[in-house]
Amino acid sequence: MKNFKIFYLLLTLGTIISCTDDLNVVSEDPRTTTPEALFSSFEGYKQALAGVYGNLSLTGTGDAGSSFLQGIDAGTSQFGRTLWYLQNLTADEVVWSYENDEGVAELQRNTWTANNPVVLGFFSRTMAEVAFANDFLRQSTPELLASRGITNVNEVAEINVFRGEARVLRALAYYYMMDVFGKAPFITENNPVGFKGPQYNREQLFNFIESELAEVMPTLKDANTNEYGRLDKAVAQMILAKVYLNAEVYIGTSKYAECMTQCQNVMAGGYTLNTNYLNNFKADNHTSNEMIFTLQADGVRTQNYGATTVIINGQVGSFEGNGSEFGVGGWGGALRLRKQLVQKFDGGTFTNDARKTITDNNGARPIDITELTNAGQGHILHKFSNKTAAGVAGPNSTFVDTDFPLFRLADVYLMYAEAQMRKDGATNGSNVKNANTTSIGYINDLRVRANNGSSSANVGAGDVDLQFIIDERARELHWEGHRRQDLIRFGQFTGGNYNWTWKGNIQNGTSISDDLKLFPIPSNSIVANPNLTQNQGY
Amino acid sequence: MKTIYKKLLFLFLILPFSAFAQTISGVVLDGSSNQPLPGVNVIVKGANSSTTTDFDGKFQLNGLKNGDIVQFSYIGYTAQEVRYSGQKSLSISLMEEANQLQEVVVQVGYGSVKKKDATGSAAVITTKDFNKGANVTTENLLQGRVAGVTVNTSGAPGSGSEIRIRGGSSLFASNDPLIVIDGLPIENTTTTGSTSFLASLNPSTIESMTILKDASATAIYGSRASNGVILITTKKGGKTLSVDYNFQYGSGRLVDKIDVFSANEYRDLIQQRRPGDVSRLGTANTNWQDEIYRRTDLVDQNLSIRGNLFGAIPSRLTVGNTYQEGLRLTNKFNRSTVGLALNPSFLNDHLKFKVNANYTNEKNRFADGVEGGALAFDPTQPVYDANSVYGGFFQYYNPSNNELTPQTPRNPVAQLLQTYDTGISNRFFGNIEMDYKFHFLPELRAVINVGFDETNGERSRRAGADAASSGANNNIPYGTNEYTEENRKNKLLDFYFNYNKTFNELVFDATAGYSYQKIDSDKYMTGNVNDPNLATGPTGFPRLEVPFDTVLIGFFGRTNFTYKDKYLLTLTYRRDGSSKFDEDNRWANFPAAAFAWKVNQDFFKDSKLISDLKLRLGWGITGQQNIGNNNDYLQQYNIGSGSSQYYFGETPYPIAVSARLSDKLKWEETTTYNAGIDFGILNNRLTGAVDVFYKESNDLLADVATADGSNFSNRSWQNIGSFTTKGIELSLNADVIKRDNLNWNVNFNATTYQREITKLNADYIRVGENVVGTGTQAQAHFVGYTPNSFLLYKQLYDNAGTPIEGAFADLNGDNVINSEDKYVYRNPDPKLILGFASNFNYGNFDFYFNLRANLGNRVLNVVNASKAQYNLLNTGGTIGNIPTSVLDTGIVNQNSNNVLSDMYVENASFLRMDNITMGYTFPKWLDGKASVRLYTGVQNAFVITDYSGLDPEVTGGFDNTIYPRQRTFLFGANVKF
């Protein structure tokens, strides 16, 4: 009897213990995949790389409204759109009519706080780029490749190029953090997931970007040789050029000679100006040889509420109803121009300038904007379009096919000229005219292209001072995500040197605090990472 | 899991049998009526022989030796003992026990105790205590009847309810109590096609519900017990044949509407405020709220048959059908149930089985929430328009191209009538419990319980292309055609031993066991196939979603010591493992201890006044792990859908990105201290209980901000924060009048509790829905305050008491009005919850009513906050209606600040008369073989409140239109054979 009882007990115990293994559940969901499954084939690495690039265009893996980030809606956290809001909406180029959209009113009136959702969207999205890049680097180390059975020499070599590109994307993210926030939590692939990165200031970020890009440069594909959608040496050089051009702002030391070197590297890469200015902003602009790096958009495959979707739908005028001109439905007059941008095209010189795409509905639109929410005030722009150069509209009337030009060659021409002038002694506020022949040559290349081959609007050394440069940048690059950075560099963003419509929440513009040169770290982000300190004034 | 079943089968096969010697037989009668008593337990003490009396009160016992004590016991009667000294037959008369309440059985999880021996805070409510009214879903039976328990049911037919025991113990994880039906813990998730997870259980099959409130009672359920446990026991099989048929018919109506401008008032208003829009006015007089609702019918019937199947198996079969219409046009709920219970016993009651099997078929037609649309629609426009291409309903569209006008509302009546949103759910659940009392050791029992719950649900939503409410592309609607199907399976295996032995004055009872539960589900959805922009690919449509399985394993033990039947000590321990956490944090321990002292056995033994006095003290730790289907400690990669691809060259690649991770996540833990007194006065004419409790919840599971760049999202699940709850409960039950022909029993309960957050990862976290658009959450979890407190601006008023639009107090004195000037103003928790029920019988006539009150709860009137502004007369594309409350406030503009004003928070204290019923019983129908009770009644008879909105009883204190509760007039019959 006793033995029997013991046997019975042991039997039941054995039954029980064998079940605790069931606690290790595995995924049966067809929508997801484990890292082991994904990275066991070369295709998986390409898809993961597409994920790192994709975070700049897409917000989630579902549809355009899905997002990996929570607490902010997809549109308010798309990379290109938030970058555009922070760089263009806060300056002298444009206003947004729907002020009950979260955070917009504060940005266009320069009254933002640390609770601004667009600022939060940009911070989280850009840092997510760092996280995805780091994850790709962790998953693609040579040791892991070997252990996962990726042994084909060509594949290993290609993945090594992917790694270089991921590192450039990470540097790009830190470049924007340095520009917009002046600091960032610093995290690399050597840190574990969940690591609360230490705060790097502008100098530390500057040094990292410089050394990182120099280290990675040899592994990247040569300029203009990589497939569409992937970056090359020119992108890395462009980032360095931007960083050096703004070095006086970032670290207080001028690096204009280094900037000129990088500009020359880019220009030698094989990119060429598109003979038609406007073809850079059409649905097939991915074929333009002027594009160095774009944020992709496709009406069917890469749908997003990003910069170009917003810009093109927003361009449609409230009473013009001209959506069919651009191949979109339109959003009832969301975007109008502040008069300062319009006035930069005043005068006979610009009558035939292709870059002047401004209309006022035969005088029906007043140039002055007295009410930001009145979509009938202010002139409108016709720069971007969802139609191809041949005039064929994209398949989707909401989500455009037009890529957003983040870096293009024309910018490099103007950067070279500016860097040369500053290196040779030009400073903000002085009207020294020291552009050399090369610089004038580049500026005139742009003028000739804008005037359809005619050199009637060309300039000479006596026309070009720093103020000309900043104005010409507005004419060439308006609405392309550069304005705030440019104005800060010229000392015209904060302070009272240059007041535009509704600057500082006053209709005729007023001086704003220098603290506003930097955006605040979002409150939620500071709570989550105690290493971060808030910027002054917030 | 399959291997478990095989091993079990093997275990059964090696059970020993036994048989033995001397016999006695006899009959047991009811002492006062001399009628035979069936079902009386006849036990030979200390031996392994027992039986029960049959239909004629007769019994026969074997295996007796001289000197054995034979005990006769039956619920509600005083037990008797007889010493065997060779009698061949016995005739026993049992007397009804005066203190019937003491014999009430309390389920305590893996066993039961009598109420007088219970050491934890538990309340039992049986069929005679249930609310009498139209109880479509189970939780309606106990609404307002148990101290500490609140049930908030919406007006939708068959809808689920928010059940809270002592306010709940969690902030971000679930606050729902664990619900166990016949030993099977069910999942609190509603399957596609069904209205709620409790809707499939027919209330007429329920015998009793035990509510376990404090940790010493709930800890046996360890990791899921923090919010309390409700144990539902269905009616068991009976030996005597009895048939019950119940029929109920109800006619329901809308009680009240939200005040908006009538057609003529509206015409004047537009003339006055927007004279340029007068041309947009129509010529009709429509009350849109009347148009979207209707009078409803309820038909509820059930038939219950109990008897001895094949003369040996006590069984119960219940068949029922409930058909309920909802106030919204087209809304219907139709549930058919079949339930079978078998309770055979073999081997002289050594081997007892409880078999329960239930099948439910639920058919629903769902109706969209069009209340907001009905409030805002222009009352001068008609519902129908014969010339309209949109199904003959009035809509705003351009007749030249049929394009719907942008930024105009859609006809709410059309939306209800043109949308076919139907669901069908089939559910099969039940359990088989085997209870074996060892022949060689009768104090030891082994119990195995196998439970199963399987649901298949589907939902289909269709609307034609002429339905303006369906999705539109370029302002032309494309109709809706969507289908979703879901399967859920829940399997349970419990196995435990129970040892019960009396040593002189000490009774020792120990239980030890093991529990395994596995839940898995999958869901298939097609999305709206008419949508030209429908995303494709595995994360687009059609898609199959398969969440992680949930596996819960627990080891538990409980010992009860009873000394001299006066001092009781219960010790409980449970160790639980959950598949939701990673290996390092997977297991947790949940101990509990309770002590009870029957004071009246020591001090008031002979008192005439105090008939019962018991002191209870309890302490325990319980857990919470319900954060939905998240196993974020396992890294997963999400693959982009067809519209989330990135081009490399000419080839689009679906992106692959890691989902967010959470690691080192562990259980929430709640520690509860409870002290209570159960008392009875004047021979239990008046009984009651008072409980004082204090709970502390730590390591709260929350989905909050994570360091940017470190993870693959900006939020992840973490353990942060703590909060405390303290409160007092009182329940009283009194037989005010107790005579042969006249009885009046009243029941009263009162609860007060206060919850306070003591720690979070920040000073506050904004929570809740947005008042308008995004970024306008009105509530927050604020350290030092009650959860879900309102965080709003302080409105400034002029001398006449009218609010000054957009003027808020600068509370931090920095001359800027921004989010730093918001303050915590009140919260939705009630300060006092009261319930009262009265049952009055005079002869064959009965009169019953029950009412409830919440005092001090606040509600944010979001209908006013989001709709009562003059500028909303303009919808963008046309003009719309607004609530008349705008006349009191005069607010013109709406922006994300002025909707967050504290003037919209109202005191929503209320007193609600839930049911009034009166009936008459014909006791000797059909020659005394049957009795019929006919009754009539009102449900939701009246509400007394100062709240200006539609209904003060709003979940979460956020009133942005609700599905209104109807007032139903009922007629019914209960027939018993």
Side-chain angles (χ1 to χ4, degrees):
Chain A
M1 238 358 158
K2 263 222 169 80
N3 289 336
F4 177 70
K5 273 195 259 185
I6 292 171
F7 165 69
Y8 198 165
L9 237 64
L10 284 175
L11 194 65
T12 47
L13 269 173
T15 313
I16 290 162
I17 288 167
S18 65
C19 275
T20 52
D21 257 353
D22 283 10
L23 289 170
N24 291 319
V25 291
V26 292
S27 173
E28 301 161 47
D29 202 328
R31 301 171 295 161
T32 63
T33 176
T34 58
E36 293 73 40
L38 181 70
F39 292 117
S40 58
S41 75
F42 177 72
E43 274 297 292
Y45 291 90
K46 207 141 191 207
Q47 277 191 274
L49 183 69
V52 186
Y53 278 102
N55 183 49
L56 297 174
S57 297
L58 300 164
T59 46
T61 49
D63 56 19
S66 66
S67 176
F68 326 124
L69 302 177
Q70 287 144 306
I72 13 178
D73 83 8
T76 325
S77 66
Q78 202 273 355
F79 177 76
R81 178 183 187 163
T82 47
L83 178 69
W84 191 80
Y85 275 12
L86 296 182
Q87 299 280 22
N88 292 90
L89 197 60
T90 54
D92 60 349
E93 293 177 353
V94 62
V95 299
W96 177 266
S97 313
Y98 299 114
E99 280 206 313
N100 56 0
D101 270 3
E102 272 216 276
V104 167
E106 285 183 353
L107 290 175
Q108 62 189 10
R109 294 167 188 261
N110 310 105
T111 57
W112 57 78
T113 67
N115 292 322
N116 188 300
V118 178
V119 173
L120 173 64
F122 185 78
F123 190 99
S124 294
R125 180 66 60 188
T126 311
M127 288 311 298
E129 185 69 16
V130 171
F132 291 130
N134 283 339
D135 186 58
F136 183 82
L137 293 169
R138 281 188 208 106
Q139 301 285 4
S140 61
T141 59
E143 299 80 32
L144 271 180
L145 286 183
S147 72
R148 282 174 175 154
I150 312 284
T151 47
N152 179 318
V153 177
N154 291 333
E155 288 182 353
V156 172
E158 268 218 67
I159 292 177
N160 210 30
V161 180
F162 294 170
R163 286 175 63 83
E165 293 175 26
R167 289 171 72 176
V168 174
L169 289 173
R170 180 175 62 186
L172 179 74
Y174 277 125
Y175 153 63
Y176 280 114
M177 294 297 290
M178 176 172 71
D179 183 73
V180 172
F181 297 103
K183 54 179 66 152
F186 187 72
I187 305 164
T188 67
E189 73 272 26
N190 301 318
N191 304 122
V193 171
F195 176 71
K196 295 189 204 296
Q199 178 171 283
Y200 265 30
N201 61 19
R202 272 182 158 166
E203 195 176 322
Q204 293 165 299
L205 289 172
F206 186 98
N207 291 335
F208 168 75
I209 294 169
E210 203 181 5
S211 59
E212 177 81 346
L213 291 177
E215 205 179 295
V216 154
M217 194 73 73
T219 68
L220 299 172
K221 287 223 151 87
D222 285 337
N224 229 355
T225 59
N226 207 343
E227 52 184 346
Y228 161 69
R230 286 172 58 187
L231 53 84
D232 51 23
K233 287 195 164 82
V235 176
Q237 288 153 355
M238 185 72 176
I239 298 172
L240 284 172
K242 285 282 181 191
V243 159
Y244 288 138
L245 184 66
N246 291 286
E248 257 198 293
V249 175
Y250 296 154
I251 58 172
T253 316
S254 54
K255 298 259 180 188
Y256 299 112
E258 290 88 339
C259 175
M260 288 168 70
T261 316
Q262 294 302 335
C263 289
Q264 284 163 325
N265 288 341
V266 175
M267 290 190 276
Y271 292 97
T272 55
L273 290 182
N274 196 313
T275 48
N276 184 331
Y277 174 78
L278 288 177
N279 282 355
N280 288 316
F281 313 104
K282 295 217 160 88
D284 52 354
N285 62 350
H286 59 285
T287 58
S288 169
N289 201 29
E290 189 174 334
M291 296 297 166
I292 298 173
F293 191 59
T294 62
L295 302 180
Q296 279 189 13
D298 182 272
V300 176
R301 301 258 159 64
T302 316
Q303 292 182 347
N304 58 74
Y305 287 106
T308 42
T309 298
V310 168
I311 289 171
I312 299 175
N313 277 297
Q315 278 182 175
V316 175
S318 55
F319 23 76
E320 293 83 344
N322 54 337
S324 52
E325 178 191 335
F326 307 123
V328 290
W331 291 347
L335 294 171
R336 302 114 57 206
L337 301 171
R338 301 196 205 216
K339 83 172 169 199
Q340 284 71 23
L341 180 61
V342 179
Q343 287 167 339
K344 294 201 174 17
F345 288 99
D346 281 348
T349 337
F350 302 107
T351 328
N352 296 320
D353 194 322
R355 304 172 298 181
K356 179 180 179 182
T357 61
I358 300 169
T359 63
D360 67 353
N361 200 9
N362 295 325
R365 291 182 163 277
I367 195 173
D368 280 305
I369 297 177
T370 57
E371 252 184 79
L372 283 164
T373 51
N374 186 338
Q377 292 178 347
H379 296 190
I380 57 174
L381 197 69
H382 300 248
K383 176 168 169 173
F384 288 81
S385 172
N386 189 27
K387 284 190 168 166
T388 62
V392 178
N396 192 309
S397 60
T398 305
F399 301 113
V400 301
D401 279 357
T402 318
D403 293 354
F404 181 77
L406 196 63
F407 294 140
R408 66 182 171 94
L409 188 64
D411 189 7
V412 184
Y413 284 20
L414 291 171
M415 283 164 70
Y416 180 90
E418 182 187 337
Q420 176 265 307
M421 290 171 70
R422 287 185 188 270
K423 175 173 88 72
D424 293 337
T427 54
N428 289 340
S430 80
N431 55 359
V432 163
K433 296 175 166 53
N434 61 349
N436 68 16
T437 338
T438 328
S439 303
I440 298 291
Y442 288 137
I443 295 170
N444 282 333
D445 282 344
L446 296 179
R447 286 275 171 127
V448 165
R449 188 266 293 268
N451 282 281
N452 203 17
S454 153
S455 36
S456 54
N458 280 16
V459 295
D463 300 314
V464 176
D465 59 2
L466 280 181
Q467 186 58 43
F468 172 87
I469 295 288
I470 178 96
D471 288 344
E472 190 71 2
R473 285 185 71 80
R475 287 186 277 264
E476 178 69 36
L477 302 163
H478 55 272
W479 286 32
E480 292 181 44
H482 303 295
R483 195 60 178 161
R484 168 188 156 274
Q485 184 189 76
D486 290 343
L487 286 174
I488 289 176
R489 190 168 66 250
F490 281 77
Q492 295 180 359
F493 186 68
T494 57
N497 287 339
Y498 177 35
N499 290 340
W500 56 80
T501 310
W502 285 105
K503 173 177 174 180
N505 205 14
I506 301 291
Q507 191 189 326
N508 287 329
T510 182
S511 165
I512 58 178
S513 159
D514 281 343
D515 291 340
L516 295 181
K517 281 191 204 175
L518 290 176
F519 282 95
I521 311 293
S523 333
N524 283 349
S525 306
I526 288 198
V527 164
N529 185 345
N531 293 331
L532 298 176
T533 58
Q534 185 53 278
N535 283 331
Q536 188 185 329
Y538 294 110
Chain B
M1 198 44 197
K2 286 216 170 74
T3 54
I4 270 271
Y5 288 121
K6 283 204 193 127
K7 287 174 190 177
L8 273 177
L9 218 55
F10 184 54
L11 283 173
F12 288 157
L13 293 173
I14 54 175
L15 292 172
F17 283 61
S18 66
F20 292 117
Q22 289 199 25
T23 312
I24 186 176
S25 64
V27 68
V28 180
L29 305 170
D30 178 307
S32 37
S33 64
N34 277 326
Q35 292 299 308
L37 269 182
V40 175
N41 293 316
V42 187
I43 300 168
V44 179
K45 274 183 142 178
N48 51 7
S49 194
S50 73
T51 184
T52 50
T53 55
D54 63 11
F55 185 69
D56 296 320
K58 297 198 180 126
F59 69 92
Q60 181 169 16
L61 261 183
N62 303 321
L64 291 160
K65 305 186 289 295
N66 275 356
D68 275 343
I69 311 274
V70 185
Q71 185 196 55
F72 298 83
S73 64
Y74 191 61
I75 278 196
Y77 289 79
T78 316
Q80 265 196 48
E81 289 176 4
V82 173
R83 181 176 290 262
Y84 179 68
S85 48
Q87 303 98 311
K88 277 282 178 281
S89 76
L90 280 176
S91 179
I92 306 287
S93 280
L94 289 184
M95 301 301 294
E96 254 192 270
E97 200 172 68
N99 306 341
Q100 284 195 36
L101 203 60
Q102 307 286 21
E103 297 303 318
V104 168
V105 165
V106 179
Q107 297 296 325
V108 291
Y110 311 107
S112 61
V113 295
K114 302 222 182 64
K115 181 116 176 74
K116 63 185 171 73
D117 297 328
T119 53
S121 177
V124 184
I125 165 164
T126 63
T127 43
K128 63 178 176 55
D129 307 309
F130 289 154
N131 287 335
K132 299 179 182 25
N135 296 315
V136 174
T137 50
T138 304
E139 59 272 29
N140 297 150
L141 297 173
L142 51 67
Q143 197 163 16
R145 304 309 314 281
V146 180
V149 178
T150 55
V151 176
N152 193 327
T153 315
S154 98
S159 94
S161 316
E162 186 194 73
I163 308 173
R164 293 282 177 267
I165 298 179
R166 294 185 171 178
S169 301
S170 198
L171 275 191
F172 298 95
S174 169
N175 267 314
D176 296 330
L178 177 68
I179 301 192
V180 180
I181 303 180
D182 290 328
L184 171 68
I186 60 176
E187 236 204 323
N188 289 17
T189 321
T190 302
T191 313
T192 301
S194 171
T195 47
S196 84
F197 68 99
L198 272 183
S200 345
L201 183 63
N202 188 330
S204 66
T205 57
I206 298 177
E207 170 76 55
S208 70
M209 292 201 264
T210 302
I211 296 100
L212 303 179
K213 298 186 265 181
D214 74 335
S216 65
T218 61
I220 194 79
Y221 283 102
S223 63
R224 293 175 286 171
S226 278
N227 297 319
V229 182
I230 299 182
L231 297 156
I232 298 178
T233 313
T234 57
K235 290 179 178 155
K236 293 289 151 279
K239 289 198 168 147
T240 48
L241 181 67
S242 73
V243 178
D244 269 319
Y245 173 71
N246 297 304
F247 171 84
Q248 185 174 80
Y249 169 77
S251 171
R253 274 210 153 74
L254 182 68
V255 177
D256 199 2
K257 298 186 278 274
I258 296 176
D259 287 324
V260 290
F261 293 98
S262 72
N264 288 329
E265 287 168 354
Y266 189 70
R267 290 188 173 91
D268 291 338
L269 187 68
I270 294 293
Q271 181 68 54
Q272 181 197 346
R273 292 218 148 232
R274 303 191 66 90
D277 285 324
V278 170
S279 53
R280 295 188 193 266
L281 291 168
T283 54
N285 285 321
T286 313
N287 186 326
W288 287 96
Q289 288 178 80
D290 273 337
E291 297 294 333
I292 60 172
Y293 298 127
R294 59 176 174 180
R295 189 195 63 77
T296 67
D297 284 323
L298 161 73
V299 179
D300 187 6
Q301 343 175 34
N302 55 73
L303 175 70
S304 180
I305 305 174
R306 279 169 127 145
N308 242 359
L309 202 59
F310 310 125
I313 306 174
S315 344
R316 185 258 310 157
L317 175 72
T318 311
V319 177
N321 174 274
T322 307
Y323 170 78
Q324 178 168 56
E325 292 177 342
L327 282 174
R328 287 184 194 151
L329 296 175
T330 75
N331 198 186
K332 288 197 279 266
F333 171 79
N334 193 333
R335 170 187 65 208
S336 305
T337 59
V338 178
L340 178 68
L342 301 169
N343 301 83
S345 68
F346 306 106
L347 308 178
N348 269 338
D349 279 353
H350 273 249
L351 183 62
K352 291 194 237 187
F353 280 91
K354 279 189 206 158
V355 178
N356 291 303
N358 298 285
Y359 168 74
T360 305
N361 172 280
E362 200 185 312
K363 288 200 189 64
N364 283 296
R365 181 163 172 187
F366 299 98
D368 292 340
V370 294
E371 278 75 11
L375 286 181
F377 215 94
D378 179 352
T380 63
Q381 305 297 352
V383 177
Y384 298 97
D385 174 2
N387 298 325
S388 166
V389 302
Y390 288 106
F393 292 100
F394 174 85
Q395 298 285 2
Y396 290 103
Y397 70 98
N398 182 345
S400 64
N401 56 11
N402 289 343
E403 275 184 27
L404 294 170
T405 317
Q407 296 185 292
T408 57
R410 303 283 162 251
N411 187 328
V413 177
Q415 183 167 352
L416 291 176
L417 294 177
Q418 289 182 304
T419 308
Y420 294 86
D421 190 352
T422 55
I424 300 179
S425 166
N426 285 303
R427 186 170 181 189
F428 185 54
F429 65 99
N431 68 311
I432 300 174
E433 186 185 286
M434 186 208 76
D435 184 326
Y436 174 65
K437 190 156 53 172
F438 286 89
H439 277 89
F440 55 83
L441 190 65
E443 290 88 10
L444 181 66
R445 285 165 47 227
V447 179
I448 296 180
N449 186 12
V450 175
F452 53 91
D453 181 4
E454 192 169 325
T455 315
N456 167 280
E458 57 181 47
R459 184 160 173 174
S460 133
R461 189 182 165 99
R462 285 171 194 273
D466 64 344
S469 57
S470 67
N473 194 27
N474 287 334
N475 299 319
I476 297 281
Y478 45 72
T480 310
N481 186 350
E482 261 184 68
Y483 175 77
T484 310
E485 185 177 333
E486 190 174 353
N487 292 305
R488 305 195 82 88
K489 285 200 206 38
N490 174 357
K491 292 195 275 251
L492 171 84
L493 170 70
D494 279 339
F495 177 67
Y496 62 93
F497 287 105
N498 174 266
Y499 181 77
N500 182 309
K501 189 156 176 88
T502 310
F503 303 95
N504 286 332
E505 293 181 318
L506 178 71
V507 179
F508 173 74
D509 184 290
T511 308
Y514 163 83
S515 173
Y516 173 99
Q517 187 163 23
K518 180 166 174 180
I519 296 158
D520 66 348
S521 66
D522 60 72
K523 188 159 151 179
Y524 170 78
M525 21 215 256
T526 64
N528 184 354
V529 300
N530 290 353
D531 182 354
N533 281 327
L534 198 63
T536 57
T539 49
F541 291 101
R543 68 164 177 254
L544 181 66
E545 289 181 8
V546 184
F548 283 94
D549 291 347
T550 304
V551 176
L552 299 161
I553 292 183
F555 297 92
F556 55 88
R558 175 175 55 212
T559 52
N560 277 315
F561 299 94
T562 309
Y563 184 61
K564 289 190 175 168
D565 201 25
K566 300 194 257 197
Y567 308 108
L568 305 119
L569 178 69
T570 308
L571 301 169
T572 313
Y573 172 79
R574 180 158 173 147
R575 183 168 169 79
D576 266 329
S578 164
S579 63
K580 287 205 200 313
F581 303 110
D582 70 342
E583 275 199 60
D584 294 331
N585 295 297
R586 185 166 278 170
W587 294 91
N589 304 306
F590 301 105
F595 173 75
W597 174 26
K598 295 190 196 177
V599 180
N600 71 319
Q601 306 258 25
D602 275 341
F603 289 110
F604 300 102
K605 231 183 151 98
D606 300 314
S607 165
K608 284 264 185 313
L609 181 67
I610 297 182
S611 49
D612 183 28
L613 189 64
K614 181 168 83 179
L615 170 70
R616 285 180 281 109
L617 297 170
W619 161 86
I621 301 181
T622 51
Q624 168 66 284
Q625 47 89 57
N626 189 357
I627 47 173
N629 283 306
N630 287 299
N631 280 61
D632 288 347
Y633 62 92
L634 296 170
Q635 186 167 27
Q636 293 290 307
Y637 279 80
N638 288 319
I639 309 295
S641 73
S643 54
S644 293
Q645 303 188 65
Y646 189 83
Y647 277 93
F648 284 150
E650 299 283 305
T651 318
Y653 282 82
I655 61 174
V657 280
S658 174
R660 65 185 188 167
L661 283 175
S662 75
D663 65 0
K664 303 198 188 23
L665 200 61
K666 60 183 276 299
W667 309 86
E668 275 183 10
E669 284 188 1
T670 302
T671 308
T672 311
Y673 302 88
N674 191 86
I677 295 180
D678 294 331
F679 59 87
I681 299 191
L682 291 175
N683 201 25
N684 285 350
R685 276 288 286 272
L686 171 69
T687 58
V690 180
D691 277 83
V692 176
F693 63 89
Y694 175 77
K695 292 195 280 189
E696 198 176 298
S697 301
N698 290 310
D699 282 328
L700 296 173
L701 289 165
D703 187 6
V704 288
T706 186
D708 293 275
S710 67
N711 204 329
F712 307 105
S713 173
N714 55 339
R715 285 203 192 160
S716 68
W717 280 99
Q718 301 163 43
N719 290 101
I720 50 131
S722 342
F723 83 97
T724 62
T725 311
K726 45 185 191 237
I728 305 175
E729 288 165 3
L730 165 71
S731 61
L732 295 170
N733 187 303
D735 286 322
V736 181
I737 305 175
K738 202 176 170 69
R739 303 209 197 116
D740 279 336
N741 224 16
L742 183 64
N743 285 308
W744 186 22
N745 174 285
V746 299
N747 177 290
F748 172 75
N749 64 75
T751 314
T752 174
Y753 61 78
Q754 191 182 332
R755 302 188 295 158
E756 183 184 314
I757 298 177
T758 48
K759 189 168 80 115
L760 282 178
N761 66 338
D763 282 337
Y764 67 90
I765 298 176
R766 289 180 81 183
V767 293
E769 288 174 51
N770 286 300
V771 177
V772 286
T774 51
T776 52
Q777 291 163 305
Q779 291 167 287
H781 291 324
F782 207 111
V783 176
Y785 293 90
T786 307
N788 294 301
S789 289
F790 298 110
L791 185 65
L792 303 166
Y793 292 105
K794 191 172 174 65
Q795 184 74 48
L796 294 175
Y797 300 82
D798 65 15
N799 291 333
T802 320
I804 306 172
E805 182 167 339
F808 303 117
D810 178 16
L811 293 175
N812 64 350
D814 65 350
N815 287 327
V816 174
I817 304 291
N818 57 18
S819 56
E820 319 261 313
D821 293 302
K822 289 191 197 161
Y823 76 113
V824 174
Y825 177 63
R826 308 274 187 180
N827 58 74
D829 278 5
K831 303 253 183 315
L832 185 62
I833 304 167
L834 306 168
F836 180 81
S838 155
N839 211 337
F840 181 81
N841 287 1
Y842 178 58
N844 291 329
F845 171 76
D846 59 85
F847 177 71
Y848 168 89
F849 67 86
N850 75 309
L851 36 79
R852 278 176 304 127
N854 276 11
L855 301 176
N857 54 317
R858 295 299 196 273
V859 168
L860 182 69
N861 191 330
V862 181
V863 170
N864 284 346
S866 67
K867 299 183 197 329
Q869 285 99 15
Y870 280 114
N871 270 0
L872 293 179
L873 285 173
N874 170 26
T875 69
T878 185
I879 46 175
N881 205 346
I882 56 178
T884 53
S885 64
V886 73
L887 297 169
D888 299 323
T889 59
I891 305 283
V892 176
N893 286 309
Q894 181 187 89
N895 58 46
S896 50
N897 273 352
N898 68 5
V899 296
L900 296 177
S901 161
D902 65 350
M903 69 173 173
Y904 294 114
V905 174
E906 294 186 42
N907 187 331
S909 304
F910 69 88
L911 172 75
R912 176 173 241 126
M913 174 69 80
D914 274 334
N915 294 295
I916 306 177
T917 314
M918 46 189 174
Y920 188 85
T921 310
F922 298 90
K924 294 206 190 313
W925 201 47
L926 287 189
D927 297 329
K929 290 210 194 97
S931 76
V932 178
R933 171 175 173 260
L934 296 176
Y935 65 92
T936 177
V938 184
Q939 179 160 45
N940 190 14
F942 61 83
V943 180
I944 300 174
T945 181
D946 269 341
Y947 178 61
S948 72
L950 188 65
D951 191 318
E953 214 176 331
V954 176
T955 43
F958 191 90
D959 181 6
N960 194 4
T961 74
I962 58 164
Y963 196 131
R965 298 182 175 93
Q966 33 185 314
R967 175 174 299 139
T968 314
F969 289 91
L970 303 161
F971 304 92
N974 308 118
V975 186
K976 283 190 200 334
F977 292 94

